[in-house]
Amino acid sequence: MTLNTVEVEKNLASELIKKINEKTAVIGVVGLGYVGLPLAVENAKAGYQVIGFDVHTEKIEKINRGINYIGDVNDEELAELIEANQFIATEDYSLIKNVDAVVICVPTPLDVHKQADTSYVETATKEISNYLHKGMLIVLESTTYPGTTEEVLKPILEQPGLSCGKDFFLAYSPERVDPGNKTFKTSNTPKVVGGMTESCTEVAVTMYKNVLEADIHEVSSPAVAEMEKILENTFRNINIGLANEMAILCNKMGIDVWEVIDAAATKPYGFMPFYPGPGLGGHCIPIDPWYLTWKAREYNYHTKLIESAGEINNAMPEYVINRSMQLLNKKGKALNGSNILVFGVAYKKDIDDYRESPAIPILEMLDEMGANWKVVDPYVNHFELNGSSYTTENDITEQMLKTADLVLIITNHSKLEYKLIAEKANLIFDTRNSFSVDMETKGNYFKL
Ligand SMILES: NC(=O)c1ccc[n+]([C@@H]2O[C@H](COP(=O)([O-])OP(=O)(O)OC[C@H]3O[C@@H](n4cnc5c(N)ncnc54)[C@H](O)[C@@H]3O)[C@@H](O)[C@H]2O)c1
């Protein structure tokens, strides 16, 4: 008796679902960064044998020695999983042949022309396709434009002569991890999953149900899941753009924008507070909307709202410099030659990631204007600026505060000693509303 295509697909899907439910499936995670490492750890904790793949030799060595480098991963948990051989890391893609399901978490940056750069996803997929075997599940988690799973991954994976949905299963499930978030982690954040076929969705959903505590929300296609992720981050980008525009106008009108937002937030429906700041940062909010803008051009559509918000948000570092100049000017000082003590190079509070941080263009402009700057950041020890490496100060001293012409708060890390700063600094420009009201009394404190 020969089986028809649908029966073959169903059989392969049932076999994989059985392996996943019995925890005999081997899970691969490609890209062991902020997204991939926590996910690999969750899979291993759920009882799966996990193989992590990365191209960064130093990361592989660290993991295999049980050394953690991601804030949201528990050091002891990782060490125990490595010790127990439940999780190993490797650069050797040939181990994909032992893997039943693989999740791709590689970077999706923009190129210099603000166009989607899917080259990491393509490279990783090609490596996987070399060892792809029947009955395997591939899930893309990297944030990307709608259509990537179908238009980029599927053709590469089908090259060895295997057919998507029939011989292997393919799905997209966006990662929503919010580094530094104390409440929502990889395991308890609801997950959206969309497969190329019903079986693809079913297999991927089974995997996540076995690993995560959170609800799994199925959608009808990878494109829906890809688009919903971009919607989430575009929603944040645009609302932060609105908050920034309000901040600029409120400053001109002598109104405290933070008080305005707090007042608006008392409305129990129809309003959600977003806050202004020195500019967007991180690997998601400043980047993801441009993936959509880029894709929209293929459909002859101009994403006006996204681009307006982008313009406002991208101009915030320059706005911070202009306000700093005005504040120094009132004290009879120029930015040129002034000592600026910058607090925070990380893109948001209590994390060690400075990718796309607004602190970088701000420091570049301070350099261009001839200011002398020093950075205090208890989370980021070193950072790169224009090809040079800089070391930050971890602690604040009274002397540092007294000798600074301006203290510029870019990142409101909880660990910073705000009381000491308020007491000893000559002039403070706070882009994050970091100080409590009773600290703001000396007349030398200014907010965005
Ligand atoms: N960081 C976040 O907060 C976050 C949240 C949600 C979604 N995302 C998305 O998840 C994806 C990954 O982001 P991240 O922050 O984890 O990035 P990351 O840079 O921290 O990690 C990516 C890892 O992939 C590795 N890598 C690159 N090319 C590879 C290849 N060919 N094979 C194997 N490994 C490779 C890198 O060495 C790195 O370790 C991106 O698409 C991002 O937009 C990130």
Side-chain angles (χ1 to χ4, degrees):
M1 189 185 78
T2 53
L3 298 175
N4 66 35
T5 309
V6 176
E7 284 168 333
V8 169
E9 181 186 338
K10 285 220 163 109
N11 281 352
L12 278 177
S14 317
E15 274 172 36
L16 184 52
I17 286 170
K18 188 164 176 281
K19 273 181 136 179
I20 292 171
N21 285 333
E22 289 173 353
K23 307 270 166 88
T24 54
V26 177
I27 312 272
V29 176
V30 174
L32 299 169
Y34 288 89
V35 166
L37 187 58
L39 185 71
V41 166
E42 287 307 319
N43 275 280
K45 271 165 60 186
Y48 293 101
Q49 173 66 59
V50 176
I51 306 178
F53 298 85
D54 207 292
V55 288
H56 202 292
T57 315
E58 208 183 305
K59 285 185 180 176
I60 300 287
E61 283 172 4
K62 275 192 173 163
I63 293 173
N64 287 334
R65 280 190 282 134
I67 300 169
N68 174 34
Y69 50 82
I70 297 285
D72 287 345
V73 169
N74 181 308
D75 299 1
E76 281 159 23
E77 264 176 13
L78 178 72
E80 273 171 32
L81 293 166
I82 296 292
E83 175 76 12
N85 240 343
Q86 193 75 30
F87 174 30
I88 58 157
T90 181
E91 287 174 89
D92 180 4
Y93 266 100
S94 75
L95 294 186
I96 288 283
K97 56 182 184 290
N98 304 324
V99 164
D100 298 291
V102 64
V103 185
I104 304 173
C105 311
V106 295
T108 42
L110 294 170
D111 69 12
V112 286
H113 305 292
K114 279 210 175 321
Q115 303 194 82
D117 174 5
T118 51
S119 60
Y120 295 88
V121 171
E122 285 170 49
T123 307
T125 310
K126 277 181 196 146
E127 293 279 11
I128 293 168
S129 76
N130 291 333
Y131 305 97
L132 187 68
H133 48 87
K134 278 199 175 189
M136 193 173 157
L137 167 69
I138 301 96
V139 183
L140 177 64
E141 285 212 8
S142 302
T143 308
T144 185
Y145 60 83
T148 310
T149 305
E150 183 163 7
E151 294 163 17
V152 179
L153 271 76
K154 182 172 168 278
I156 297 173
L157 293 168
E158 286 189 328
Q159 263 168 22
L162 298 176
S163 170
C164 176
K166 181 171 159 276
D167 299 315
F168 66 89
F169 307 101
L170 178 61
Y172 180 78
S173 177
E175 178 53 57
R176 291 166 149 176
V177 70
D178 178 21
N181 192 317
K182 300 272 179 276
T183 313
F184 289 103
K185 308 269 178 202
T186 303
S187 65
N188 63 346
T189 305
K191 200 95 177 91
V192 171
V193 179
M196 290 295 304
T197 63
E198 272 180 32
S199 299
C200 292
T201 307
E202 194 187 354
V203 179
V205 166
T206 306
M207 178 180 74
Y208 287 115
K209 274 193 175 153
N210 273 282
V211 174
L212 307 178
E213 294 162 20
D215 287 341
I216 315 291
H217 180 86
E218 290 177 33
V219 292
S220 59
S221 68
V224 171
E226 288 158 340
M227 187 62 124
E228 81 75 20
K229 171 68 189 182
I230 300 262
L231 172 62
E232 288 171 28
N233 285 355
T234 303
F235 172 84
R236 281 185 65 73
N237 184 309
I238 286 176
N239 279 290
I240 294 168
L242 176 62
N244 283 332
E245 187 160 72
M246 290 295 284
I248 294 167
L249 180 61
C250 279
N251 178 253
K252 286 182 186 294
M253 297 175 76
I255 299 169
D256 182 335
V257 70
W258 308 90
E259 197 181 347
V260 171
I261 296 169
D262 283 350
T266 60
K267 188 177 179 184
Y269 47 86
F271 184 83
M272 194 188 274
F274 284 85
Y275 298 97
L280 298 174
H283 193 16
C284 298
I285 311 295
I287 292 173
D288 302 348
W290 299 104
Y291 263 70
L292 191 59
T293 292
W294 173 81
K295 187 67 179 173
R297 273 187 237 128
E298 194 180 310
Y299 295 83
N300 203 21
Y301 185 77
H302 179 66
T303 50
K304 298 177 261 314
L305 196 55
I306 297 177
E307 293 190 31
S308 290
E311 263 174 50
I312 296 166
N313 292 329
N314 291 344
M316 287 313 286
E318 198 171 345
Y319 177 75
V320 169
I321 291 291
N322 287 338
R323 287 280 307 277
S324 303
M325 281 198 288
Q326 286 164 10
L327 292 172
L328 282 165
N329 203 37
K330 281 193 186 141
K331 297 257 176 192
K333 291 179 182 172
L335 197 49
N336 191 334
S338 282
N339 295 323
I340 315 293
L341 191 56
V342 177
F343 281 87
V345 68
Y347 77 85
K348 69 172 181 177
K349 72 189 267 188
D350 302 344
I351 63 160
D352 62 1
D353 189 356
Y354 71 94
R355 287 178 298 175
E356 311 290 325
S357 172
I360 298 300
I362 287 171
L363 293 172
E364 280 171 355
M365 282 184 262
L366 288 177
D367 261 350
E368 278 164 25
M369 305 243 170
N372 309 309
W373 53 263
K374 196 179 269 180
V375 175
V376 180
D377 196 312
Y379 289 87
V380 181
N381 295 327
H382 305 280
F383 66 94
E384 301 280 324
L385 182 72
N386 286 331
S388 300
S389 184
Y390 291 86
T391 305
T392 66
E393 306 285 339
N394 285 336
D395 299 311
I396 317 168
T397 62
E398 278 191 33
Q399 183 64 13
M400 281 158 72
L401 292 166
K402 281 184 185 160
T403 51
D405 297 298
L406 174 69
V407 164
L408 181 54
I409 312 277
I410 301 297
T411 319
N412 51 337
H413 290 308
S414 311
K415 280 185 189 168
L416 293 177
E417 291 171 84
Y418 293 102
K419 200 159 178 297
L420 183 69
I421 300 172
E423 278 167 15
K424 304 293 175 198
N426 299 308
L427 179 63
I428 303 167
F429 181 32
D430 179 7
T431 67
R432 300 283 190 179
N433 194 30
S434 334
F435 290 74
S436 61
V437 175
D438 61 326
M439 290 182 201
E440 300 175 17
T441 51
K442 277 172 59 189
N444 62 349
Y445 173 75
F446 299 88
K447 289 192 283 193
L448 193 74

